[in-house]
Amino acid sequence: HVQLVESGGGSVQVGGSLNLSCAASLSTYNTYCVGWFRQSPGKGREGLAAIDNDGHTRYADSVKDRFTISQDNTKNTLYLQMNNLKPEDTSMYYCAADTRSGCGAGYWRVGFPFGSRGQGTQVTVS
């Protein structure tokens, strides 16, 4: 079981940027796929971005070219740089880790339903 703690959320103006961080309790090399998803009240999970052990990244079309996922394996930390934020990006953001399936399985697109997740960090764009 991976413990994850997100930080870096907040309120930002339209067009602004935020950089989310996620501290993991173990090396991301012990996971097959790590990434980010968001969920708003009454809505399902929306997978945003994911990264494999080999550093291969994947993005949802809604955030491609605006969001960048990265990881620092020396710090067991995952990041999500978010630029050109829009009001529709307002949501609770979660990092997640799947220790059973690689990103190629596609579970990241539906918000890591079989993985571990953190408590979330709120992002508000107005």
Side-chain angles (χ1 to χ4, degrees):
H1 180 70
V2 182
Q3 292 184 321
L4 304 163
V5 179
E6 303 94 337
S7 61
S11 297
V12 65
Q13 293 183 336
V14 173
S17 299
L18 283 173
N19 189 24
L20 305 183
S21 299
C22 173
S25 61
L26 53 78
S27 170
T28 53
Y29 281 123
N30 291 324
T31 64
Y32 286 95
C33 182
V34 292
W36 295 88
F37 69 92
R38 63 190 178 192
Q39 187 170 23
S40 298
K43 296 185 177 181
R45 297 181 179 187
E46 178 188 6
L48 302 174
I51 186 167
D52 279 319
N53 287 344
D54 61 2
H56 180 66
T57 58
R58 305 163 192 262
Y59 296 94
D61 289 342
S62 60
V63 303
K64 190 176 183 180
D65 298 329
R66 297 190 300 124
F67 291 8
T68 302
I69 188 171
S70 62
Q71 59 186 359
D72 184 338
N73 293 322
T74 65
K75 299 180 179 178
N76 292 349
T77 302
L78 185 69
Y79 302 97
L80 185 68
Q81 176 66 42
M82 306 187 296
N83 298 326
N84 191 21
L85 284 162
K86 305 174 181 180
E88 52 264 42
D89 293 318
T90 295
S91 188
M92 185 71 80
Y93 284 69
Y94 301 86
C95 68
D98 194 330
T99 59
R100 298 185 297 175
S101 302
C103 297
Y107 293 123
W108 70 271
R109 292 189 179 276
V110 291
F112 293 84
F114 308 117
S116 302
R117 67 168 177 86
Q119 82 290 345
T121 185
Q122 177 67 37
V123 172
T124 302
V125 186
S126 60

